[in-house]
Amino acid sequence: MKKILQKIFLILIGIVLIGKISNWFLNYNDETNQILNAGMFTLIGIAYLVGGFVWDNKLINIIFLVCGIYLIAMNIIGDFGLKSIIGIVCILTPMLIARFSPEETDEKELAEN
């Protein structure tokens, strides 16, 4: 079941990516761009929600979950001044945490040797 969900997720990401790239050449209308953007942010939000359950640190779990929920919810809520800025922060923060956090499995393996 897990592999099927991963394949579906990757196919959806591929569809959105192809749609965003083809928009550069075909210049879709505003509705199509909004659908592509909503799909993109929703998929990123789902990835962060799932990623939030992987970490052992509770603070990192909460950050991933909050960012994932916001990225999904920002498609539903109306426009306000800080919507885009909060969205950018919610996209970048989990990526930076994942990039700069030490890998726990390597530390445990080193401690055992």
Side-chain angles (χ1 to χ4, degrees):
M1 181 71 169
K2 183 178 175 182
K3 289 190 179 235
I4 294 172
L5 290 176
Q6 282 179 331
K7 286 183 182 182
I8 292 171
F9 189 76
L10 289 174
I11 289 169
L12 290 174
I13 289 174
I15 291 170
V16 170
L17 182 63
I18 289 169
K20 292 298 280 182
I21 291 172
S22 66
N23 181 43
W24 296 342
F25 305 107
L26 301 176
N27 294 326
Y28 298 137
N29 60 13
D30 288 338
E31 285 184 22
T32 306
N33 282 326
Q34 288 177 349
I35 291 170
L36 286 171
N37 289 338
M40 178 180 62
F41 289 120
T42 301
L43 289 172
I44 294 170
I46 290 170
Y48 285 168
L49 284 175
V50 171
F53 294 107
V54 174
W55 298 92
D56 293 332
N57 188 339
K58 293 286 185 188
L59 179 63
I60 294 175
N61 286 348
I62 292 170
I63 291 170
F64 268 73
L65 293 174
V66 167
C67 288
I69 290 169
Y70 180 79
L71 288 173
I72 293 171
M74 74 183 268
N75 298 313
I76 300 168
I77 58 177
D79 287 336
F80 59 93
L82 295 175
K83 180 179 176 181
S84 298
I85 295 171
I86 296 171
I88 291 169
V89 169
C90 284
I91 289 173
L92 293 178
T93 302
M95 288 195 310
L96 292 173
I97 289 172
R99 172 68 177 104
F100 292 112
S101 67
E103 293 186 23
E104 297 172 6
T105 56
D106 291 342
E107 291 176 6
K108 290 178 184 175
E109 290 175 6
L110 290 173
E112 291 175 0
N113 293 330

